Amino acid sequence: MKKAILLLNMGGPNNLDEVKVFLKNMFNDKRIISAPKLIRKLIAFIIIKSRLKEARNNYKQLGGKSPIIGYTKELVNILNNELDADIFYVMRYTPPFAKDVLPNIKDYDKVYAIPLYPHYSTTTTASSFDDLFIEAKKYKMENKIQTVHKYYSNENYNKAIVQRIKEALKDKNPNEYELVFSAHGLTQKIIDNGDIYQKNIKQNVYYARKELAKQGINFHKTHLAYQSRVGPMQWIKPYLEDKLASLKLKKVIIYPIAFTIDNSETEFELDVEYKELAYELGFKEYIVAKAPNILMSEVIKDLYNKMGT
């Protein structure tokens, strides 16, 4: 039996020319901006015009592309050597898209679609599945595809989180630090419309805290906050900048709990922009832990084995 695993993610520019492609595809996604198509196009145009120059400059500082590409390729290479399935990655807003990958696997017997989003959201998981199944129907292969919607409670996943936190701590005493789980924000409107992302994030924090306690890692305090706000609308709170301002200890570890793979939000927004803010607020230490990245191999293997039984 010929099997494929598709790792789904939002993507990121492969080069500076793709920054506009990335922004255009993201802000024209009806799952991101739910306005009628023409209004959505206008909103997208305005956002792109105001953000393109800054976004390109940010990616330039990251080497001219999103770090998500390299980390994803590393993960794919590891899994290709360890599983009895062919591994592909499919991005939502930059190549390779579902339309690029599915023609190569249309004759496979079974396809396992695993989002690299551990928490379910209409803006991420549902959007990726929308795109995937639109393309799958063209090849009459939608019935071959098996999906998983969320896995924030997976033991291997939470062990990976704690492993990255331990690596960030090194030999430091966790009692001298506060730990902030930083999640990508969503507008309050999306949550009020029934999106379960915030509930999943809070539940993930519970499981991560449980694993920290199990391994005897005790921070002074642990917190949850949200990053990546855009525009004037109200977003879910607390905002990361407000959380940082409220911390009593001026030593902090930031863990990017919404991400399984490092990207511009972790390596630029958290590790450059928020770091500058933290030092302005008088922090003595501000450390950003890595996302799981290649540690996701154990999580994917576990999910694949469970999906196949």
Side-chain angles (χ1 to χ4, degrees):
M1 181 181 280
K2 211 168 181 187
K3 296 182 281 187
I5 295 174
L6 303 181
L7 303 179
L8 310 178
N9 211 338
M10 68 186 296
N14 293 274
N15 52 62
L16 291 177
D17 290 336
E18 279 186 5
V19 176
K20 189 173 183 179
V21 174
F22 178 66
L23 295 174
K24 185 178 178 182
N25 287 335
M26 177 184 287
F27 292 113
N28 275 287
D29 184 350
K30 64 182 179 182
R31 294 285 195 177
I32 302 291
I33 297 174
S34 59
K37 192 172 181 179
L38 286 174
I39 296 173
R40 186 166 65 247
K41 275 192 166 186
L42 177 61
I43 294 169
F45 175 78
I46 292 166
I47 293 173
I48 294 163
K49 194 170 182 182
S50 65
R51 293 190 63 187
L52 184 58
K53 188 177 178 181
E54 183 186 355
R56 274 198 176 130
N57 184 53
N58 294 350
Y59 283 108
K60 200 177 283 184
Q61 292 182 60
L62 290 169
K65 61 184 178 181
S66 172
I68 201 171
I69 310 302
Y71 291 124
T72 303
K73 286 180 178 177
E74 281 183 53
L75 178 59
V76 167
N77 289 338
I78 289 169
L79 291 169
N80 265 323
N81 290 322
E82 295 183 354
L83 289 174
D84 63 343
D86 294 329
I87 319 299
F88 302 86
Y89 65 97
V90 176
M91 299 304 197
R92 183 67 182 92
Y93 303 126
T94 52
F97 300 113
K99 67 180 182 181
D100 303 320
V101 176
L102 289 196
N104 301 320
I105 61 167
K106 59 182 170 41
D107 296 324
Y108 278 54
D109 302 297
K110 194 75 181 173
V111 177
Y112 300 88
I114 302 177
L116 290 173
Y117 322 113
H119 321 95
Y120 182 85
S121 174
T122 54
T123 62
T124 52
T125 322
S127 179
S128 284
F129 284 156
D130 286 349
D131 186 48
L132 179 66
F133 281 96
I134 285 169
E135 293 303 318
K137 283 173 184 173
K138 293 177 184 177
Y139 302 101
K140 296 184 170 56
M141 60 183 292
E142 64 268 29
N143 293 330
K144 296 179 183 178
I145 300 175
Q146 190 173 337
T147 61
V148 59
H149 285 72
K150 55 185 182 292
Y151 49 88
Y152 59 81
S153 62
N154 181 278
E155 187 179 359
N156 285 321
Y157 171 61
N158 283 286
K159 282 181 177 176
I161 290 174
V162 173
Q163 176 64 28
R164 291 307 195 201
I165 291 169
K166 283 161 68 177
E167 289 169 6
L169 265 172
K170 296 181 180 173
D171 57 355
K172 300 177 179 76
N173 181 356
N175 282 303
E176 296 175 6
Y177 289 79
E178 305 212 41
L179 172 67
V180 177
F181 292 105
S182 182
H184 195 288
L186 275 186
T187 63
Q188 188 62 49
K189 182 183 177 183
I190 289 173
I191 298 298
D192 291 344
N193 286 340
D195 193 296
I196 61 171
Y197 169 78
Q198 188 177 26
K199 286 179 184 173
N200 285 182
I201 289 288
K202 288 178 177 178
Q203 288 162 332
N204 194 168
V205 169
Y206 165 78
Y207 285 108
R209 281 172 172 156
K210 202 173 172 182
E211 185 61 34
L212 283 165
K214 188 177 173 183
Q215 295 192 33
I217 303 166
N218 301 302
F219 284 89
H220 176 73
K221 271 188 179 178
T222 60
H223 311 264
L224 170 62
Y226 298 92
Q227 64 184 89
S228 309
R229 264 187 307 151
V230 179
M233 294 180 73
Q234 184 176 323
W235 287 55
I236 50 179
K237 294 179 178 180
Y239 302 144
L240 181 54
E241 57 267 35
D242 295 338
K243 179 58 69 177
L244 288 171
S246 75
L247 298 186
K248 290 182 181 175
L249 292 191
K250 296 302 177 186
K251 292 183 177 181
V252 67
I253 304 278
I254 305 289
Y255 182 79
I257 198 163
F259 301 106
T260 56
I261 306 291
D262 276 309
N263 54 72
S264 62
E265 276 98 344
T266 62
E267 295 199 353
F268 187 80
E269 186 182 1
L270 284 180
D271 211 15
V272 176
E273 293 180 325
Y274 278 104
K275 182 178 277 185
E276 287 175 6
L277 172 63
Y279 288 129
E280 283 171 17
L281 290 168
F283 275 75
K284 294 173 186 172
E285 285 191 70
Y286 173 93
I287 301 165
V288 179
K290 299 294 287 179
N293 296 325
I294 58 171
L295 298 183
M296 283 301 294
S297 61
E298 293 304 313
V299 183
I300 301 300
K301 284 190 274 185
D302 189 28
L303 293 171
Y304 170 63
N305 290 332
K306 286 172 180 171
M307 291 166 84
T309 57

